[in-house]
Amino acid sequence: MTPYRSKALRVIALVARMLLGVFFVVSAVAKLVDIDRFEIYVYSYNLLPLGLSQVTARLVIVAELLMGVGLIANIWNRFVNVCTVLALTGFTIFLGYAVLIGRTDSCQCMGSLLEIDPLHSILKNALLLLWTVFAMGARPWGWRPRWFVWLPVMLAPLVTVFILSAPDTWLFGRADEVYNPDKLTEAMAPEGDLAELHLDEGRHVVAFLTPGCRFCKMADQKLTSISQRHGLDEGAIVYLMLGDDSTQTALQVDSTTYQRAGYIIPKMTFLYITYGQRPLIFLMDEGVVKATCHYRNISESQIKEFLLDEED
């Protein structure tokens, strides 16, 4: 699109172009600040494995930052225009898929800064596409930076995003978490608080969670997505939720916080076993803890192999 002949329109288009760039930068920063939720959102579609979902989430942020910088700088207009239109079109197609499969949760387009469901986000993208088309009429600056200027600028968002927030699978390996095995055995005994759950029979993924804990809820979302992705037995994932001092036995509850029913256990039993750490996740075989993890080092392959071995 050639620049507008009217100087006033060119100025308005330039301002619109820069504001569009600011929008992309804000969107990217909002996702980066709340990267845990964004990467789980990407993973929840069961299209990519967990590790690749974490990398993809960060690459989306990098792409938005680069588009934002390109729009604000008002250089390489044709290339930036094409990238912006393709990105918005791609996001819209993805959101259309989300609507078709019945997703109504926030699309994380603006992180936790603004909750938008997929349908309204499609309308937002349609407006942004019209905005982009109008902004194409801005006249580009009469200079282009040399490679030793633009190359660091292009690499900076990529390096910055992955340094500020490296994927958990890069930073956290499998490690033994601290817990109290004696108290766990005591709780699973015939008169213990966990006796009715029969954790000493078969294989279970046991998650100690607390209501209102942000990372506990995201651990649940990871476990649920892993279970759905690989067709695992949902009954093999057991939620043990912190109760109060008056709770005497493990009672099954329908939780609005988590995606499946869980069991309330007495506060002191919970704290004695976990030493207050949560979320804390056990992989248990016939009542024996074979592996432990927390939110950051949940391993998709480890859980899949552990539960599927039982089913083979």
Side-chain angles (χ1 to χ4, degrees):
M1 183 173 180
T2 57
Y4 295 119
R5 293 185 178 182
S6 167
K7 183 177 180 180
L9 279 178
R10 291 201 304 269
V11 171
I12 294 172
L14 177 60
V15 172
R17 185 178 186 83
M18 290 182 170
L19 288 176
L20 184 62
V22 171
F23 173 84
F24 278 115
V25 171
V26 171
S27 175
V29 172
K31 290 186 181 71
L32 183 60
V33 169
D34 204 13
I35 186 63
D36 292 313
R37 286 181 60 188
F38 183 48
E39 65 184 22
I40 290 177
Y41 179 78
V42 174
Y43 180 60
S44 68
Y45 281 86
N46 298 324
L47 299 174
L48 301 171
L50 182 57
L52 188 54
S53 295
Q54 294 173 346
V55 172
T56 300
R58 286 158 176 81
L59 290 178
V60 169
I61 292 172
V62 171
E64 286 190 326
L65 285 172
L66 288 174
M67 284 189 296
V69 170
L71 289 165
I72 293 171
N74 193 38
I75 55 176
W76 295 304
N77 288 24
R78 182 175 298 178
F79 175 73
V80 174
N81 291 341
V82 170
C83 289
T84 303
V85 170
L86 289 178
L88 288 172
T89 302
F91 291 155
T92 303
I93 292 173
F94 177 78
L95 291 167
Y97 169 72
V99 172
L100 286 176
I101 64 175
R103 295 287 293 260
T104 59
D105 53 322
S106 173
C107 65
Q108 300 299 314
C109 293
M110 298 296 292
S112 58
L113 189 63
L114 183 63
E115 301 285 332
I116 312 176
D117 63 67
L119 185 57
H120 285 91
S121 194
I122 289 174
L123 297 177
K124 175 208 69 181
N125 284 357
L127 292 175
L128 289 176
L129 279 169
L130 292 175
W131 190 350
T132 302
V133 171
F134 173 75
M136 288 179 182
R139 175 173 292 176
W141 305 131
W143 64 280
R144 291 187 179 184
R146 302 289 298 275
W147 68 269
F148 52 80
V149 175
W150 62 255
L151 183 59
V153 172
M154 295 285 286
L155 291 177
L158 178 67
V159 174
T160 301
V161 167
F162 278 86
I163 287 179
L164 290 178
S165 178
D168 289 339
T169 51
W170 294 10
L171 297 177
F172 299 92
R174 299 179 186 179
D176 293 328
E177 304 301 322
V178 176
Y179 72 99
N180 191 324
D182 295 332
K183 289 295 181 181
L184 177 62
T185 301
E186 180 182 317
M188 292 190 298
E191 301 300 324
D193 293 315
L194 305 182
E196 66 181 79
L197 303 184
H198 305 291
L199 298 178
D200 55 347
E201 300 174 6
R203 290 187 179 182
H204 305 276
V205 175
V206 181
F208 290 84
L209 311 173
T210 58
C213 168
R214 175 172 177 262
F215 289 103
C216 291
K217 185 174 182 179
M218 289 191 294
D220 160 47
Q221 292 172 328
K222 277 188 179 181
L223 293 174
T224 299
S225 294
I226 291 172
S227 175
Q228 293 173 347
R229 178 180 178 84
H230 300 288
L232 305 177
D233 179 11
E234 288 191 357
I237 300 179
V238 181
Y239 293 160
L240 301 182
M241 290 183 277
L242 179 68
D244 55 36
D245 293 330
S246 64
T247 308
Q248 298 299 319
T249 58
L251 303 174
Q252 188 166 6
V253 295
D254 292 324
S255 172
T256 57
T257 303
Y258 300 101
Q259 300 189 32
R260 288 192 298 276
Y263 298 87
I264 295 177
I265 65 173
K267 178 179 180 180
M268 296 313 298
T269 300
F270 187 104
L271 295 178
Y272 278 141
I273 294 173
T274 66
Y275 292 122
Q277 178 182 346
R278 68 268 194 194
L280 181 61
I281 300 164
F282 295 160
L283 275 59
M284 298 183 65
D285 185 2
E286 303 294 337
V288 178
V289 177
K290 297 295 186 179
T292 60
C293 58
H294 52 74
Y295 167 73
R296 293 293 179 194
N297 63 353
I298 291 175
S299 170
E300 177 181 6
S301 59
Q302 184 183 34
I303 291 175
K304 179 192 71 172
E305 293 166 4
F306 179 76
L307 291 182
L308 288 180
D309 281 346
E310 181 191 33
E311 299 168 4
D312 292 340

